[in-house]
Amino acid sequence: MGASLARPERSFTSTVSNDFELVIRASKELEHLLKTEFGAAEHNNSGRPNGLHDLIRTATVPGTDGEPLPEELKRKMRLLATVRNKLVHK
């Protein structure tokens, strides 16, 4: 885990064919980053995988002693999770 994140060599947005695909890809990338760079818990206490909202809740600022992410950032990430959920479960 590092404080600076490397930019991907190629943006996935250049190969997206529709808004649905964009939301799915962006949420998958967010899940990956929350787990690998921000220490988000992959499973809950029951051993079940955490969803995107739970990953956002459990993520912490890298290089701190468990400091939670800023509320404004969490609100923006939750919006993506909500849009994704509405699209997928529609």
Side-chain angles (χ1 to χ4, degrees):
M1 240 184 331
S4 64
L5 299 176
R7 289 199 163 275
E9 291 181 20
R10 190 178 90 164
S11 171
F12 63 78
T13 59
S14 63
T15 60
V16 172
S17 59
N18 59 57
D19 291 342
F20 180 79
E21 185 179 0
L22 176 62
V23 170
I24 298 301
R25 286 188 180 199
S27 61
K28 281 292 188 188
E29 180 67 15
L30 180 57
E31 285 181 21
H32 172 75
L33 289 172
L34 289 170
K35 292 175 188 176
T36 60
E37 301 293 330
F38 295 91
E42 292 191 46
H43 296 88
N44 63 25
N45 292 337
S46 303
R48 296 183 62 183
N50 274 333
L52 188 50
H53 283 283
D54 292 321
L55 294 174
I56 293 165
R57 181 181 49 78
T58 61
T60 58
V61 176
T64 67
D65 192 22
E67 180 182 332
L69 297 176
E71 285 302 317
E72 180 65 20
L73 177 59
K74 289 196 285 189
R75 267 194 297 279
K76 290 176 181 179
M77 290 189 290
R78 285 188 182 115
L79 176 60
L80 174 63
T82 300
V83 169
R84 192 265 332 248
N85 287 346
K86 285 182 179 182
L87 283 172
V88 171
H89 299 293
K90 198 173 186 182

